[in-house]
Amino acid sequence: LYDEATHREERYAALALLAVRASRPWHDVGLVPLVEHLVVSGAWWDLVDEIAGRTVAPLHRALPEAMAPVIRLWAVHDDLWLRRTAVLSQLGSKLDTDRELLAEVIDANADSREFFLRKAIGWALRDLAHRDPEWVRAFLDSRGDRRLFGKDARRPRPLAHKILRREIPGPEVLRERGHDTALVADEG
């Protein structure tokens, strides 16, 4: 379906089938060659982002030890779209984000002038800033220039933006104070 598609919508349908819950029993490291093929042959943000967010990210959350080496290889691959997939590979992981891996992947691509990579880096940082603004702030500060990763890194979701500016405490501070953060953490 994906390879023979004559319209993008057919590829979207193939990716939707890959992401349905019923296909999850087959989601293991054996899926990596297929994912690589889909990313490289799709070679555009709409398909790659779907694969990264709905296939690679859940696969990484389920099998972090097996997927981390794959993501590290993709982060330095010659193919731009595999590098973008590596950067976006932890979207939605919330506080389970492997920050060390994220830093490695971002650092491997920080010097790139490619728009789609810079945009992905900003998106990945903004996604984590919603849950862990202190880490994102420290990461950006340690790199010397917040502008390095484009506008998205500096434009977190509304709640994260307030937390970064220290207008309100982050979820971790609220939890320490005994507050229920279920609603706070999902806002934005």
Side-chain angles (χ1 to χ4, degrees), residues 77-167:
H77 199 279
D78 290 339
D79 186 85
L80 161 70
W81 301 105
L82 281 173
R83 292 196 318 270
R84 181 175 171 97
T85 301
V87 171
L88 299 177
S89 67
Q90 296 190 76
L91 286 179
S93 294
K94 303 176 183 175
L95 293 175
D96 291 329
T97 299
D98 180 340
R99 289 151 184 81
E100 182 180 318
L101 177 61
L102 181 62
E104 285 180 47
V105 168
I106 290 173
D107 287 340
N109 290 284
D111 292 333
S112 175
R113 303 303 304 159
E114 289 286 345
F115 169 80
F116 291 107
L117 264 181
R118 296 176 69 75
K119 190 78 170 167
I121 290 169
W123 183 9
L125 289 171
R126 188 180 70 209
D127 185 64
L128 183 57
H130 183 64
R131 307 295 179 180
D132 192 354
E134 294 298 327
W135 185 90
V136 172
R137 185 183 302 110
F139 176 82
L140 291 171
D141 288 347
S142 72
R143 284 8 183 224
D145 187 353
R146 291 176 186 254
R147 290 176 288 153
L148 179 65
F149 303 113
K151 288 189 266 185
D152 272 4
R154 296 184 321 256
R155 191 186 65 204
R157 297 177 186 156
L159 177 63
H161 181 67
K162 290 177 182 179
I163 294 168
L164 283 169
R165 291 190 313 196
R166 293 189 167 99
E167 292 176 17

